Amino acid sequence: MTPLEIFALAVFIFTYALIISERIHRTVAAMAGGSLVLLANIVPWEKVPLYLDLDTILLLAGMMIIVNTTRLSGLFEYIAIKTAKLAKGEPIRVLLLFSVVTALISAFLDNVTTVLLLTPMLIYISRLMEVNPLPFLLSEIFASNIGGTATLIGDPPNIMIGSAAGLSFNEFLVNMGPIAFLDLILMVFVVYLAYRGTLKISPEKKERILRTLEGLDERAAIRDLPLFRKSIVTIVIVVLFFFVHDKLGIEPAVVALFGASLLLFWSRENPEGILEKVEWATLFFFGGLFLIVGSLVETGFIGQIAQWVTSHVHTEGEAMLVIAWFSALASAVIDNIPFTATMIPLIKAMETSLNTYPLWWALSLGACLGGNGTAIGASANVVVIGIAAREDIRITFMDFLKIGMLIMVLTVGAGVGILWLRYVWW
């Protein structure tokens, strides 16, 4: 190895160690690592725009602005109360409906925001029904990660993969949508089987719950009716544009920025207040990581790893299995964002000897669903467990691991099976 390769690899390992240990903020670690490879001129300044992947960063920024503006209207609280009323105080229906709603919202909007807004309502309903909140909270976490798998904009790894491989919104929906749908059914069934003993209530209690739910007014949750309507119209326009962006030759990032601009212009909300709430730390985290991984590409290290992998993997089917399961296991214990950032150039380097199209779906599958394996596998997991702890509901690492690992293995296994049928066996 050359001195530059050793330096780039050392920066990569040291940055990852800091991110995993959480001794300093992960954004600071990524920014420091990115700055070091720039100072050493491993990534030349003229190539910085290439490695920064502006498609991913601008798409995330646009969607964050839309979500932060929409939150002011009360739309998410309205959906939560409406869903609770539809469940009619029946625990199994609450489990099913909240899982479906969480997965649907997470497919189109940030899944952390989704669980932040739905979790308090879920805890309230489970207390009202006097049943164990654990199955509802766990199914909400699993559903948010499964829903995010379905679309290009559902989870940051998908945004990164779509940008790097030039995959459209519709390609994600066609390839990952059916897998997410099947996995959602599988997940609800497993959670129900595991906790069915705690999901039963007496008819008298059900009547009492119904009366309380009928007393809730979803319209009272709407804090700003004009903004509520404008947010719905904007989200519908953005989703419609996502469906046709590839036919129009427009990048997904442009669609997100257009939607953000439209909502800010139309609503007349204070842009400074909205922009202050954009998760700038996340965007700089992405930027730093992209530069660190770019340094491994520049030194040729990624190319050598890809050459080694392809010399041991002889078909797309074998590569697909290795990438899906390795990604799932890795994403269960480390952040799936830096992991995906590392895997993207590796798969790109395999293009010379393999058809990498099915490999992108295997990476998406493992990176998104691997987060269900452990309590620290995805941001949504940490957020829900944190909110639950504040409400004196304890979800231990082992509580999560027992069912999370089972859900991860079953959902990734089902997804790999579908991909195998589609791209290898058929």
Side-chain angles (χ1 to χ4, degrees), residues 102-179:
T102 304
L104 272 177
I105 298 177
S106 298
F108 295 100
L109 299 174
D110 172 32
N111 57 359
V112 172
T113 304
T114 306
V115 298
L116 260 175
L117 295 161
L118 294 182
T119 302
M121 178 54 67
L122 210 44
I123 292 174
Y124 172 76
I125 294 169
S126 59
R127 284 183 169 157
L128 192 66
M129 296 186 294
E130 297 175 15
V131 293
N132 181 6
L134 195 62
F136 303 102
L137 297 176
L138 289 175
S139 66
E140 185 197 18
I141 291 171
F142 300 143
S144 72
N145 292 324
I146 291 171
T149 314
T151 65
L152 170 71
I153 55 171
D155 214 355
N158 281 3
I159 296 173
M160 295 160 70
I161 293 167
S163 169
L167 301 170
S168 71
F169 185 85
N170 288 341
E171 282 176 288
F172 261 94
L173 203 59
V174 169
N175 282 279
M176 303 308 289
I179 293 174

Side-chain angles (χ1 to χ4, degrees), residues 351-366:
E351 284 174 344
T352 52
S353 56
L354 293 172
N355 170 23
T356 54
Y357 190 75
L359 308 188
W360 295 116
W361 307 124
L363 176 60
S364 166
L365 186 74

Side-chain angles (χ1 to χ4, degrees), residues 306-319:
Q307 205 172 19
W308 182 85
V309 172
T310 48
S311 66
H312 289 78
V313 174
H314 306 293
T315 65
E316 284 83 13
E318 287 177 16

Side-chain angles (χ1 to χ4, degrees), residues 206-219:
K206 188 178 167 184
E207 280 299 316
R208 182 165 52 81
I209 295 164
L210 265 174
R211 282 198 297 276
T212 308
L213 284 175
E214 281 166 5
L216 294 176
D217 184 6
E218 63 271 23
R219 287 168 299 183

